[in-house]
Amino acid sequence: MACAKTLYRKLIDSHTVRELDDQGNVLLYIDRSILNEYTSPQAFSGLREKNRKAWRPESVLLNVDHVNPTRPVRDDKMTDPGGQLQVDYFRENSRDFGIELFDVLDTRQGIEHVVAPEQGFVLPGMVIAAGDSHTTTYGALGAFGFGIGTSEIEHFLATQTLAYKRLKTMRVKVSGKLDPAVTAKDIIMLLIQRIGASGATGFAIEFTGSVITQLSVEGRMTICNMAVEAGARGAFMAPDEKVYQYLQDKPRAPKGEMWELALQSWQNLYTDEGAEFDREIELDCDKLEPMVTWGISPDQADNISGVLPDPADEKDPQKRLAQEKALAYMALKPGTRLTDIPISHAFIGSCTNGRIEDLRLAAEVLKGKKITPHVRGMIIPGSTLVRQQAEQEGLAKIFIDAGFEWRQSGCSMCLAMNEDVLEPGDRCASSTNRNFAGRQGAGSHTHLMSPAMVAVAAIAGHLADVRSINGGEQ
Ligand SMILES: CC(C)[C@H](C(=O)O)[C@@H](O)C(=O)O
Ligand code: SF4
């Protein structure tokens, strides 16, 4: 009898060209990739130097997202000369290697991890490797996505394969009854807080449980996307009816008979009964509140009703040091209530929370309200298509009326590689995924949270509980 397999092993084994040794190193076939202007240049230079072609150019998409401006009126010029060089070279690589490019003015452009699912470019059962750590997002569709470095991109482009070491497996079962104000972002923030920023290093996480089943596909993407902040090099969920429905009308999804065949082949994408995981975690969300980060690592997070920790109370010397460092950088005092932390900026966007459902949640909070005058609010849709849809649904008007800037798509202030940069001392409520020191600008302070929580902080002028808007108290 064949032995019970995890979904992870099914995905990896079905793409293993050859076992390289008995330590779990394999030559892995990669179905598809999406590359950005920032991490791909050296890979293409490497190919050029060796006079190599791309093996399957049609399996790759190029998409500009990291350095482009997000000014409300779009043009295709970068503000920074370095960024302009990267985009020019990207265009040249698209031409010379015959790879399709979603350039800045293309209506399909956006943040790669929003664009690829939206185009139906990622399908269940696929293995996707791309030059960005948040490639894990595609796990929400039952694909296995992981980030690779520049030399690996070159290897992939030339051969369609990668040398890969199989990961350990972790199953995270998410159960309980969610408070309506709690979102997918809060669930993944809870997991990261619980297991730590390197708690899943060396692991691929499979998320299961009733909460995951109930989440929308977009919510699942938020979870798989941010699992990388716990160190995971892969995060996924078994595909279900919701995934098939999500994909069915997407431009690049198979059609007609091919769709039927694809559906059949996806039926086997689940973990077999009795398959073993290296680690199992239960996450009960019954008492989960909206979460925010207070420090400079994504695991330095708490419920919004919490207070800042006092390092003096921390027994673990390493944690104590990390807390001291974080509080000093963040210019915060132990014991402060999280809701007493004032903000100067509010940012809604990124590949974690820049999809249409995220914007709808933010709009629900902002409808008929104004943000505090001293807060600069920016909304950066995850893709140009998301932007169009938000405009059609009337969300853009709600944002603009509330005092937010309604901008074009890109990574923007998630990592501040274009001109969307915070000044030293600025403090931002942000729907992004990384709060490292200086991430949004040297000397700036970032608090991660869900888009609805960013919206409510923008109205209040300080971190606030999204549940308080119904009760009136802020
Ligand atoms: C630029 C890129 C290498 C990086 C990543 O891989 O995640 C970026 O997208 C980020 O979010 O920090
Ligand atoms: S939006 Fe942020 S996290 Fe996502 S790819 Fe861009 S920089 Fe990285």
Side-chain angles (χ1 to χ4, degrees):
M1 201 181 75
C3 67
K5 268 192 181 183
T6 58
L7 175 53
Y8 175 67
R9 280 307 291 264
K10 288 185 184 177
L11 292 166
I12 297 303
D13 290 355
S14 61
H15 287 74
T16 296
V17 179
R18 183 180 305 157
E19 300 266 346
L20 297 178
D21 57 22
D22 56 5
Q23 308 294 308
N25 287 294
V26 301
L27 189 67
L28 193 67
Y29 185 82
I30 307 301
D31 294 301
R32 287 184 178 170
S33 184
I34 179 160
L35 300 175
N36 62 58
E37 75 287 4
Y38 183 71
T39 58
S40 69
Q42 285 123 310
F44 283 107
S45 302
L47 291 183
R48 286 174 190 278
E49 269 162 35
K50 293 163 203 131
N51 209 10
R52 288 194 171 123
K53 294 191 172 121
W55 185 264
R56 265 188 69 209
E58 68 281 9
S59 71
V60 189
L61 263 185
L62 306 184
N63 170 74
V64 180
D65 54 9
H66 279 71
V67 305
N68 61 280
T70 62
R71 301 184 275 270
V73 178
R74 191 136 245 198
D75 66 55
D76 64 354
K77 303 277 174 308
M78 307 305 121
T79 332
D80 160 58
Q84 185 65 52
L85 273 179
Q86 282 165 342
V87 174
D88 287 343
Y89 190 45
F90 207 44
R91 291 170 179 157
E92 201 177 313
N93 290 329
S94 163
R95 274 194 306 274
D96 294 354
F97 290 87
I99 304 178
E100 189 174 5
L101 166 66
F102 291 177
D103 207 336
V104 187
L105 297 181
D106 194 306
T107 50
R108 298 162 300 179
Q109 177 275 348
I111 305 169
E112 56 191 272
H113 312 304
V114 178
V115 165
E118 173 177 90
Q119 290 297 320
F121 185 69
V122 173
L123 299 174
M126 282 187 171
V127 171
I128 315 275
D132 193 283
S133 61
H134 294 98
T135 305
T136 54
T137 311
Y138 311 142
L141 299 168
F144 185 73
F146 62 101
I148 52 176
T150 308
S151 53
E152 289 175 298
I153 301 177
E154 182 183 338
H155 191 282
F156 152 73
L157 284 170
T159 66
Q160 208 68 25
T161 64
L162 285 176
Y164 176 83
K165 185 168 171 55
R166 280 195 301 261
L167 300 165
K168 287 184 283 183
T169 52
M170 179 187 295
R171 176 159 56 190
V172 178
K173 190 170 168 213
V174 190
S175 58
K177 194 168 169 336
L178 286 192
D179 182 299
V182 165
T183 64
K185 180 67 162 283
D186 303 298
I187 297 171
I188 189 63
M189 286 177 71
L190 174 70
L191 177 71
I192 298 166
Q193 183 221 38
R194 186 76 57 84
I195 68 175
S198 49
T201 302
F203 285 89
I205 305 181
E206 178 173 351
F207 288 92
T208 66
S210 55
V211 169
I212 301 296
T213 321
Q214 281 156 31
L215 281 179
S216 68
V217 173
E218 296 202 349
R220 296 177 196 180
M221 283 190 219
T222 300
I223 292 189
C224 290
N225 171 288
M226 208 171 157
V228 79
E229 309 315 330
R233 236 187 133 220
F236 50 88
M237 297 148 180
D240 62 5
E241 213 37 60
K242 281 188 187 168
V243 169
Y244 310 145
Q245 262 171 31
Y246 171 90
L247 284 170
Q248 196 155 20
D249 305 323
K250 299 287 183 271
R252 295 183 190 217
K255 301 279 179 293
E257 197 189 334
M258 291 304 278
W259 173 257
E260 295 306 322
L261 285 171
L263 265 185
Q264 268 173 36
S265 75
W266 298 337
Q267 299 311 312
N268 160 46
L269 296 174
Y270 57 85
T271 287
D272 295 333
E273 185 92 25
E276 282 184 14
F277 288 80
D278 297 297
R279 189 167 172 202
E280 302 251 14
I281 290 180
E282 300 253 346
L283 211 59
D284 183 357
C285 296
D286 259 346
K287 297 200 179 74
L288 179 56
E289 289 182 24
M291 306 268 304
V292 295
T293 62
W294 51 264
I296 48 174
S297 169
D299 55 0
Q300 290 174 322
D302 202 350
N303 296 331
I304 182 65
S305 61
V307 295
L308 290 175
D310 188 342
D313 300 335
E314 178 56 59
K315 303 233 157 37
D316 177 340
Q318 250 182 328
K319 268 199 191 156
R320 190 187 318 132
L321 203 65
Q323 284 180 359
E324 279 166 2
K325 225 174 114 192
L327 291 172
Y329 178 81
M330 293 293 284
L332 293 169
K333 289 205 178 60
T336 308
R337 288 198 316 177
L338 286 166
T339 48
D340 286 341
I341 298 176
I343 59 158
S344 59
H345 287 72
F347 180 86
I348 296 178
S350 87
C351 57
T352 310
N353 280 129
R355 296 184 178 78
I356 191 70
E357 288 179 10
D358 299 310
L359 300 192
R360 287 186 192 132
L361 288 176
E364 229 171 83
V365 173
L366 290 167
K367 197 168 181 154
K369 305 242 173 37
K370 293 263 182 245
I371 67 176
T372 300
H374 76 261
V375 170
R376 179 177 178 201
M378 295 165 78
I379 301 195
I380 313 283
S383 72
T384 308
L385 289 177
V386 169
R387 182 177 152 98
Q388 279 172 7
Q389 188 166 350
E391 287 177 352
Q392 275 161 21
E393 291 183 17
L395 310 182
K397 182 163 185 327
I398 296 176
F399 299 143
I400 294 166
D401 289 350
F404 267 94
E405 293 170 35
W406 175 239
R407 300 175 69 97
Q408 300 283 346
S409 174
C411 294
S412 177
M413 211 195 266
C414 174
L415 90 168
M417 254 174 205
N418 62 358
E419 70 260 42
D420 306 337
V421 182
L422 294 177
E423 297 288 326
D426 284 347
R427 190 177 295 279
C428 186
S430 184
S431 76
T432 53
N433 48 45
R434 289 185 172 155
N435 56 345
F436 309 148
R439 168 83 173 177
Q440 296 188 296
S444 68
H445 306 135
T446 300
H447 295 273
L448 304 176
M449 62 198 77
S450 75
M453 284 285 284
V454 175
V456 79
I459 297 168
H462 53 82
L463 303 190
D465 190 335
V466 65
R467 294 167 302 177
S468 68
I469 50 166
N470 301 326
E473 169 251 338
Q474 261 164 37

